[in-house]
Amino acid sequence: MAVREIVVVPHGALSQEAEEIENIDDHVRNLARDMVETMYKAPGIGLAANQVGEAIKLIVVDVDYAYGDPKEKKKNPIIIINPEIGLCEGGDTFEEGCLSVPEFNVDITRPSCIQLTGVDLDGNPLKIEAEGLLARALQHEVDHLRGTTILDHASVLKRNIYRRRLKKQARKDR
Ligand code: ZN
């Protein structure tokens, strides 16, 4: 297992639509394990394969560990291949951040209850009914697989200000 580098905007993989996974081979299994380790190391509550530079339909989430009580926290990652969001209900607004969009937060309104299907690492079908933070994290990660980040949820104005900041930063770093 290894911690991978998390790519940040404007990296091309973040705006790329992820490809369906047809074979769960060693490459996919290793990537999934690395993503789990990378997520805990960050720390974050979820990660999509696009964020480590591989545009394939694979996400990992664990909404309890990163900010849980240190004494009783247990790692319990959910690994989902080819996730598909079905039924959605309700809606609420919450401020989101993203490991691939440093120093940026934006209020996003999303369904509060979702049903998600996919397969696990052994190829068994998965069906998850989620609400609250888990529903939000899953939708955020599925967004990544569509080539969308929280930047795309921001207003044009807010997005442009951030992009200008990035450019300035890039010039400084040179
Ligand atoms: Zn993200």
Side-chain angles (χ1 to χ4, degrees), residues 51 97-100 140-141 144 150:
Q51 292 181 276
C98 176
L99 295 169
S100 294
H140 178 117
E141 300 317 329
H144 278 300
I150 58 171

Side-chain angles (χ1 to χ4, degrees), residues 65-83:
Y65 187 76
Y67 306 104
D69 180 342
K71 272 184 232 125
E72 45 189 278
K73 60 189 191 176
K74 235 169 69 195
K75 289 179 177 169
N76 192 15
I78 310 173
I79 298 168
I80 309 159
I81 291 165
N82 300 332

Side-chain angles (χ1 to χ4, degrees), residues 54-151:
E54 301 219 22
I56 58 172
K57 289 193 176 168
L58 171 62
I59 63 171
V60 301
V61 292
D62 184 342
V63 295
D64 297 318
Y65 187 76
Y67 306 104
D69 180 342
K71 272 184 232 125
E72 45 189 278
K73 60 189 191 176
K74 235 169 69 195
K75 289 179 177 169
N76 192 15
I78 310 173
I79 298 168
I80 309 159
I81 291 165
N82 300 332
E84 203 74 63
I85 291 173
L87 265 182
C88 296
E89 262 174 57
D92 54 3
T93 305
F94 193 79
E95 190 180 59
E96 293 184 27
C98 176
L99 295 169
S100 294
V101 190
E103 293 170 50
F104 187 82
N105 293 292
V106 61
D107 280 341
I108 301 177
T109 302
R110 298 185 186 272
S112 47
C113 261
I114 62 157
Q115 228 175 49
L116 179 138
T117 55
V119 294
D120 67 15
L121 265 192
D122 300 316
N124 299 316
L126 262 182
K127 190 169 175 188
I128 297 171
E129 285 182 12
E131 57 179 1
L133 189 57
L134 180 59
R136 185 160 288 269
L138 289 168
Q139 291 174 86
H140 178 117
E141 300 317 329
V142 170
D143 268 3
H144 278 300
L145 301 182
R146 298 181 179 131
T148 303
T149 70
I150 58 171
L151 268 187

